[in-house]
mmCIF file of all heavy atoms in Angstrom:
data_model
loop_
_atom_site.group_PDB
_atom_site.id
_atom_site.type_symbol
_atom_site.label_atom_id
_atom_site.label_comp_id
_atom_site.label_asym_id
_atom_site.label_seq_id
_atom_site.Cartn_x
_atom_site.Cartn_y
_atom_site.Cartn_z
ATOM 1 N N TRP A 1 271.250 -114.300 78.744
ATOM 2 C CA TRP A 1 272.358 -114.423 79.679
ATOM 3 C C TRP A 1 272.386 -113.260 80.664
ATOM 4 O O TRP A 1 272.814 -113.429 81.809
ATOM 5 C CB TRP A 1 273.671 -114.555 78.908
ATOM 6 C CG TRP A 1 273.830 -115.941 78.393
ATOM 7 C CD1 TRP A 1 273.656 -116.383 77.113
ATOM 8 C CD2 TRP A 1 274.144 -117.097 79.173
ATOM 9 N NE1 TRP A 1 273.828 -117.736 77.048
ATOM 10 C CE2 TRP A 1 274.132 -118.202 78.288
ATOM 11 C CE3 TRP A 1 274.418 -117.307 80.517
ATOM 12 C CZ2 TRP A 1 274.408 -119.498 78.726
ATOM 13 C CZ3 TRP A 1 274.685 -118.593 80.959
ATOM 14 C CH2 TRP A 1 274.680 -119.672 80.066
ATOM 15 N N TRP A 2 271.926 -112.107 80.276
ATOM 16 C CA TRP A 2 271.824 -111.006 81.234
ATOM 17 C C TRP A 2 270.800 -111.338 82.324
ATOM 18 O O TRP A 2 271.028 -111.071 83.506
ATOM 19 C CB TRP A 2 271.441 -109.710 80.520
ATOM 20 C CG TRP A 2 272.480 -109.251 79.544
ATOM 21 C CD1 TRP A 2 273.794 -109.624 79.505
ATOM 22 C CD2 TRP A 2 272.289 -108.340 78.461
ATOM 23 N NE1 TRP A 2 274.440 -108.994 78.452
ATOM 24 C CE2 TRP A 2 273.539 -108.196 77.800
ATOM 25 C CE3 TRP A 2 271.202 -107.630 77.965
ATOM 26 C CZ2 TRP A 2 273.717 -107.373 76.697
ATOM 27 C CZ3 TRP A 2 271.369 -106.809 76.857
ATOM 28 C CH2 TRP A 2 272.620 -106.680 76.239
ATOM 29 N N ILE A 3 269.692 -111.942 81.902
ATOM 30 C CA ILE A 3 268.688 -112.365 82.891
ATOM 31 C C ILE A 3 269.287 -113.414 83.825
ATOM 32 O O ILE A 3 269.142 -113.334 85.055
ATOM 33 C CB ILE A 3 267.436 -112.921 82.185
ATOM 34 C CG1 ILE A 3 266.714 -111.806 81.409
ATOM 35 C CG2 ILE A 3 266.483 -113.573 83.197
ATOM 36 C CD1 ILE A 3 265.635 -112.316 80.478
ATOM 37 N N LYS A 4 269.967 -114.410 83.241
ATOM 38 C CA LYS A 4 270.572 -115.461 84.054
ATOM 39 C C LYS A 4 271.558 -114.887 85.062
ATOM 40 O O LYS A 4 271.594 -115.299 86.226
ATOM 41 C CB LYS A 4 271.283 -116.469 83.160
ATOM 42 C CG LYS A 4 270.368 -117.366 82.364
ATOM 43 C CD LYS A 4 269.827 -118.509 83.210
ATOM 44 C CE LYS A 4 270.901 -119.534 83.510
ATOM 45 N NZ LYS A 4 270.362 -120.668 84.319
ATOM 46 N N CYS A 5 272.375 -113.956 84.631
ATOM 47 C CA CYS A 5 273.356 -113.356 85.526
ATOM 48 C C CYS A 5 272.682 -112.525 86.611
ATOM 49 O O CYS A 5 273.142 -112.486 87.762
ATOM 50 C CB CYS A 5 274.327 -112.487 84.733
ATOM 51 S SG CYS A 5 275.488 -113.439 83.711
ATOM 52 N N ALA A 6 271.581 -111.868 86.286
ATOM 53 C CA ALA A 6 270.886 -111.026 87.262
ATOM 54 C C ALA A 6 270.175 -111.858 88.333
ATOM 55 O O ALA A 6 270.161 -111.478 89.513
ATOM 56 C CB ALA A 6 269.888 -110.122 86.545
ATOM 57 N N VAL A 7 269.586 -112.989 87.931
ATOM 58 C CA VAL A 7 268.816 -113.789 88.892
ATOM 59 C C VAL A 7 269.645 -114.893 89.529
ATOM 60 O O VAL A 7 269.222 -115.508 90.512
ATOM 61 C CB VAL A 7 267.566 -114.409 88.214
ATOM 62 C CG1 VAL A 7 266.692 -113.323 87.614
ATOM 63 C CG2 VAL A 7 267.949 -115.458 87.167
ATOM 64 N N GLY A 8 270.832 -115.166 88.971
ATOM 65 C CA GLY A 8 271.683 -116.254 89.455
ATOM 66 C C GLY A 8 271.920 -117.254 88.346
ATOM 67 O O GLY A 8 270.963 -117.878 87.871
ATOM 68 N N VAL A 9 273.181 -117.401 87.942
ATOM 69 C CA VAL A 9 273.483 -118.232 86.772
ATOM 70 C C VAL A 9 273.085 -119.693 86.988
ATOM 71 O O VAL A 9 272.866 -120.431 86.022
ATOM 72 C CB VAL A 9 274.977 -118.145 86.399
ATOM 73 C CG1 VAL A 9 275.308 -116.777 85.838
ATOM 74 C CG2 VAL A 9 275.869 -118.464 87.595
ATOM 75 N N ASN A 10 272.975 -120.126 88.239
ATOM 76 C CA ASN A 10 272.612 -121.517 88.516
ATOM 77 C C ASN A 10 271.141 -121.684 88.895
ATOM 78 O O ASN A 10 270.719 -122.787 89.254
ATOM 79 C CB ASN A 10 273.494 -122.059 89.653
ATOM 80 C CG ASN A 10 274.964 -122.072 89.273
ATOM 81 O OD1 ASN A 10 275.317 -122.501 88.178
ATOM 82 N ND2 ASN A 10 275.818 -121.600 90.169
ATOM 83 N N ASP A 11 270.383 -120.591 88.802
ATOM 84 C CA ASP A 11 268.961 -120.652 89.149
ATOM 85 C C ASP A 11 268.154 -120.981 87.892
ATOM 86 O O ASP A 11 267.601 -120.103 87.227
ATOM 87 C CB ASP A 11 268.509 -119.314 89.744
ATOM 88 C CG ASP A 11 267.052 -119.343 90.209
ATOM 89 O OD1 ASP A 11 266.415 -120.410 90.076
ATOM 90 O OD2 ASP A 11 266.562 -118.308 90.685
ATOM 91 N N ASP A 12 268.097 -122.274 87.566
ATOM 92 C CA ASP A 12 267.387 -122.708 86.357
ATOM 93 C C ASP A 12 265.871 -122.657 86.514
ATOM 94 O O ASP A 12 265.142 -122.800 85.528
ATOM 95 C CB ASP A 12 267.807 -124.133 85.989
ATOM 96 C CG ASP A 12 269.276 -124.218 85.599
ATOM 97 O OD1 ASP A 12 269.799 -123.223 85.047
ATOM 98 O OD2 ASP A 12 269.900 -125.263 85.857
ATOM 99 N N GLY A 13 265.407 -122.462 87.730
ATOM 100 C CA GLY A 13 263.966 -122.439 87.952
ATOM 101 C C GLY A 13 263.352 -121.062 87.919
ATOM 102 O O GLY A 13 262.124 -120.930 88.068
ATOM 103 N N ASN A 14 264.146 -120.018 87.705
ATOM 104 C CA ASN A 14 263.586 -118.671 87.684
ATOM 105 C C ASN A 14 262.567 -118.540 86.553
ATOM 106 O O ASN A 14 262.873 -118.871 85.397
ATOM 107 C CB ASN A 14 264.711 -117.657 87.504
ATOM 108 C CG ASN A 14 264.198 -116.236 87.462
ATOM 109 O OD1 ASN A 14 263.883 -115.716 86.398
ATOM 110 N ND2 ASN A 14 264.105 -115.607 88.624
ATOM 111 N N PRO A 15 261.366 -118.042 86.834
ATOM 112 C CA PRO A 15 260.308 -117.990 85.809
ATOM 113 C C PRO A 15 260.687 -117.165 84.585
ATOM 114 O O PRO A 15 260.377 -117.554 83.450
ATOM 115 C CB PRO A 15 259.122 -117.374 86.554
ATOM 116 C CG PRO A 15 259.377 -117.664 87.986
ATOM 117 C CD PRO A 15 260.861 -117.628 88.156
ATOM 118 N N LEU A 16 261.344 -116.018 84.783
ATOM 119 C CA LEU A 16 261.710 -115.167 83.653
ATOM 120 C C LEU A 16 262.756 -115.838 82.781
ATOM 121 O O LEU A 16 262.644 -115.839 81.546
ATOM 122 C CB LEU A 16 262.225 -113.815 84.162
ATOM 123 C CG LEU A 16 262.583 -112.778 83.085
ATOM 124 C CD1 LEU A 16 261.388 -112.495 82.186
ATOM 125 C CD2 LEU A 16 263.080 -111.493 83.743
ATOM 126 N N ALA A 17 263.759 -116.442 83.425
ATOM 127 C CA ALA A 17 264.793 -117.140 82.658
ATOM 128 C C ALA A 17 264.197 -118.330 81.909
ATOM 129 O O ALA A 17 264.533 -118.581 80.743
ATOM 130 C CB ALA A 17 265.916 -117.595 83.583
ATOM 131 N N LYS A 18 263.306 -119.075 82.547
ATOM 132 C CA LYS A 18 262.681 -120.226 81.896
ATOM 133 C C LYS A 18 261.838 -119.794 80.700
ATOM 134 O O LYS A 18 261.871 -120.424 79.636
ATOM 135 C CB LYS A 18 261.808 -120.987 82.897
ATOM 136 C CG LYS A 18 262.586 -121.802 83.917
ATOM 137 C CD LYS A 18 261.654 -122.509 84.883
ATOM 138 C CE LYS A 18 260.829 -123.568 84.190
ATOM 139 N NZ LYS A 18 260.003 -124.352 85.158
ATOM 140 N N ALA A 19 261.102 -118.703 80.859
ATOM 141 C CA ALA A 19 260.247 -118.227 79.770
ATOM 142 C C ALA A 19 261.086 -117.785 78.573
ATOM 143 O O ALA A 19 260.759 -118.107 77.421
ATOM 144 C CB ALA A 19 259.374 -117.073 80.261
ATOM 145 N N TYR A 20 262.161 -117.060 78.848
ATOM 146 C CA TYR A 20 263.003 -116.603 77.744
ATOM 147 C C TYR A 20 263.683 -117.794 77.070
ATOM 148 O O TYR A 20 263.816 -117.832 75.844
ATOM 149 C CB TYR A 20 264.055 -115.602 78.242
ATOM 150 C CG TYR A 20 264.625 -114.737 77.139
ATOM 151 C CD1 TYR A 20 264.271 -113.401 77.025
ATOM 152 C CD2 TYR A 20 265.492 -115.264 76.184
ATOM 153 C CE1 TYR A 20 264.775 -112.611 76.005
ATOM 154 C CE2 TYR A 20 265.994 -114.485 75.156
ATOM 155 C CZ TYR A 20 265.635 -113.159 75.071
ATOM 156 O OH TYR A 20 266.129 -112.386 74.048
ATOM 157 N N HIS A 21 264.087 -118.784 77.868
ATOM 158 C CA HIS A 21 264.713 -119.973 77.290
ATOM 159 C C HIS A 21 263.753 -120.703 76.357
ATOM 160 O O HIS A 21 264.140 -121.188 75.288
ATOM 161 C CB HIS A 21 265.181 -120.904 78.401
ATOM 162 C CG HIS A 21 265.927 -122.101 77.908
ATOM 163 N ND1 HIS A 21 265.318 -123.324 77.686
ATOM 164 C CD2 HIS A 21 267.231 -122.258 77.539
ATOM 165 C CE1 HIS A 21 266.206 -124.189 77.242
ATOM 166 N NE2 HIS A 21 267.372 -123.565 77.136
ATOM 167 N N GLN A 22 262.500 -120.772 76.741
ATOM 168 C CA GLN A 22 261.494 -121.419 75.892
ATOM 169 C C GLN A 22 261.341 -120.686 74.560
ATOM 170 O O GLN A 22 261.175 -121.306 73.497
ATOM 171 C CB GLN A 22 260.159 -121.495 76.626
ATOM 172 C CG GLN A 22 260.157 -122.480 77.780
ATOM 173 C CD GLN A 22 258.884 -122.428 78.602
ATOM 174 O OE1 GLN A 22 258.045 -121.535 78.409
ATOM 175 N NE2 GLN A 22 258.730 -123.352 79.532
ATOM 176 N N ILE A 23 261.424 -119.356 74.608
ATOM 177 C CA ILE A 23 261.361 -118.569 73.370
ATOM 178 C C ILE A 23 262.546 -118.889 72.480
ATOM 179 O O ILE A 23 262.402 -119.059 71.254
ATOM 180 C CB ILE A 23 261.318 -117.062 73.707
ATOM 181 C CG1 ILE A 23 260.000 -116.703 74.389
ATOM 182 C CG2 ILE A 23 261.504 -116.221 72.441
ATOM 183 C CD1 ILE A 23 259.952 -115.290 74.930
ATOM 184 N N LEU A 24 263.731 -119.006 73.072
ATOM 185 C CA LEU A 24 264.925 -119.310 72.286
ATOM 186 C C LEU A 24 264.832 -120.692 71.649
ATOM 187 O O LEU A 24 265.207 -120.871 70.484
ATOM 188 C CB LEU A 24 266.176 -119.209 73.162
ATOM 189 C CG LEU A 24 266.560 -117.817 73.662
ATOM 190 C CD1 LEU A 24 267.792 -117.898 74.546
ATOM 191 C CD2 LEU A 24 266.795 -116.862 72.505
ATOM 192 N N VAL A 25 264.341 -121.660 72.400
ATOM 193 C CA VAL A 25 264.184 -123.013 71.851
ATOM 194 C C VAL A 25 263.177 -122.997 70.701
ATOM 195 O O VAL A 25 263.410 -123.607 69.636
ATOM 196 C CB VAL A 25 263.735 -123.998 72.951
ATOM 197 C CG1 VAL A 25 263.367 -125.345 72.336
ATOM 198 C CG2 VAL A 25 264.842 -124.168 73.990
ATOM 199 N N TRP A 26 262.075 -122.298 70.891
ATOM 200 C CA TRP A 26 261.070 -122.173 69.825
ATOM 201 C C TRP A 26 261.677 -121.522 68.580
ATOM 202 O O TRP A 26 261.457 -121.977 67.451
ATOM 203 C CB TRP A 26 259.900 -121.339 70.343
ATOM 204 C CG TRP A 26 258.926 -120.916 69.281
ATOM 205 C CD1 TRP A 26 257.960 -121.678 68.700
ATOM 206 C CD2 TRP A 26 258.842 -119.615 68.672
ATOM 207 N NE1 TRP A 26 257.260 -120.939 67.765
ATOM 208 C CE2 TRP A 26 257.784 -119.674 67.721
ATOM 209 C CE3 TRP A 26 259.537 -118.433 68.842
ATOM 210 C CZ2 TRP A 26 257.432 -118.575 66.944
ATOM 211 C CZ3 TRP A 26 259.177 -117.338 68.076
ATOM 212 C CH2 TRP A 26 258.145 -117.414 67.138
ATOM 213 N N ASP A 27 262.483 -120.492 68.790
ATOM 214 C CA ASP A 27 263.112 -119.803 67.666
ATOM 215 C C ASP A 27 264.074 -120.718 66.924
ATOM 216 O O ASP A 27 264.095 -120.753 65.691
ATOM 217 C CB ASP A 27 263.854 -118.561 68.167
ATOM 218 C CG ASP A 27 264.621 -117.868 67.067
ATOM 219 O OD1 ASP A 27 263.995 -117.462 66.068
ATOM 220 O OD2 ASP A 27 265.861 -117.743 67.182
ATOM 221 N N ILE A 28 264.871 -121.494 67.665
ATOM 222 C CA ILE A 28 265.831 -122.405 67.035
ATOM 223 C C ILE A 28 265.108 -123.469 66.231
ATOM 224 O O ILE A 28 265.534 -123.829 65.125
ATOM 225 C CB ILE A 28 266.736 -123.041 68.110
ATOM 226 C CG1 ILE A 28 267.673 -121.978 68.715
ATOM 227 C CG2 ILE A 28 267.558 -124.183 67.518
ATOM 228 C CD1 ILE A 28 268.403 -122.458 69.949
ATOM 229 N N MET A 29 264.011 -123.976 66.759
ATOM 230 C CA MET A 29 263.285 -125.054 66.087
ATOM 231 C C MET A 29 262.474 -124.551 64.892
ATOM 232 O O MET A 29 262.444 -125.192 63.832
ATOM 233 C CB MET A 29 262.353 -125.751 67.082
ATOM 234 C CG MET A 29 263.073 -126.408 68.251
ATOM 235 S SD MET A 29 264.239 -127.691 67.741
ATOM 236 C CE MET A 29 263.101 -128.895 67.060
ATOM 237 N N LYS A 30 261.821 -123.409 65.037
ATOM 238 C CA LYS A 30 260.890 -122.929 64.009
ATOM 239 C C LYS A 30 261.502 -121.905 63.057
ATOM 240 O O LYS A 30 261.062 -121.784 61.912
ATOM 241 C CB LYS A 30 259.653 -122.318 64.678
ATOM 242 C CG LYS A 30 258.894 -123.284 65.573
ATOM 243 C CD LYS A 30 258.327 -124.450 64.779
ATOM 244 C CE LYS A 30 257.473 -125.351 65.665
ATOM 245 N NZ LYS A 30 256.922 -126.505 64.911
ATOM 246 N N ARG A 31 262.467 -121.121 63.557
ATOM 247 C CA ARG A 31 263.136 -120.088 62.767
ATOM 248 C C ARG A 31 262.139 -119.199 62.005
ATOM 249 O O ARG A 31 262.193 -119.077 60.773
ATOM 250 C CB ARG A 31 264.138 -120.705 61.789
ATOM 251 C CG ARG A 31 265.226 -121.487 62.494
ATOM 252 C CD ARG A 31 266.300 -121.969 61.545
ATOM 253 N NE ARG A 31 267.016 -120.852 60.949
ATOM 254 C CZ ARG A 31 267.992 -120.183 61.543
ATOM 255 N NH1 ARG A 31 268.348 -120.484 62.776
ATOM 256 N NH2 ARG A 31 268.600 -119.194 60.921
ATOM 257 N N PRO A 32 261.202 -118.571 62.703
ATOM 258 C CA PRO A 32 260.236 -117.700 62.024
ATOM 259 C C PRO A 32 260.917 -116.456 61.469
ATOM 260 O O PRO A 32 261.955 -116.001 61.973
ATOM 261 C CB PRO A 32 259.253 -117.325 63.147
ATOM 262 C CG PRO A 32 260.042 -117.463 64.396
ATOM 263 C CD PRO A 32 260.989 -118.595 64.171
ATOM 264 N N LEU A 33 260.328 -115.899 60.435
ATOM 265 C CA LEU A 33 260.924 -114.751 59.752
ATOM 266 C C LEU A 33 261.102 -113.566 60.701
ATOM 267 O O LEU A 33 262.121 -112.866 60.652
ATOM 268 C CB LEU A 33 260.056 -114.346 58.555
ATOM 269 C CG LEU A 33 260.544 -113.124 57.757
ATOM 270 C CD1 LEU A 33 261.931 -113.360 57.173
ATOM 271 C CD2 LEU A 33 259.540 -112.787 56.649
ATOM 272 N N ALA A 34 260.111 -113.328 61.574
ATOM 273 C CA ALA A 34 260.170 -112.157 62.445
ATOM 274 C C ALA A 34 261.399 -112.188 63.354
ATOM 275 O O ALA A 34 262.105 -111.181 63.509
ATOM 276 C CB ALA A 34 258.901 -112.075 63.286
#
């Protein structure tokens, strides 16, 4: 959310925000120990 606020909360196409979102989705789905 800090990234989203820095680049624009409605800018869903920002590469950094998209990459971090993909990590969060992966974490929610896989829940790895790390």
Side-chain angles (χ1 to χ4, degrees):
W1 282 104
W2 296 341
I3 294 169
K4 288 280 288 181
C5 288
V7 303
V9 290
N10 297 314
D11 184 1
D12 295 329
N14 180 270
L16 183 57
K18 286 179 66 175
Y20 200 107
H21 184 265
Q22 290 173 351
I23 292 172
L24 292 178
V25 171
W26 169 78
D27 175 59
I28 291 169
M29 298 300 294
K30 301 297 185 181
R31 300 186 64 81
L33 179 60

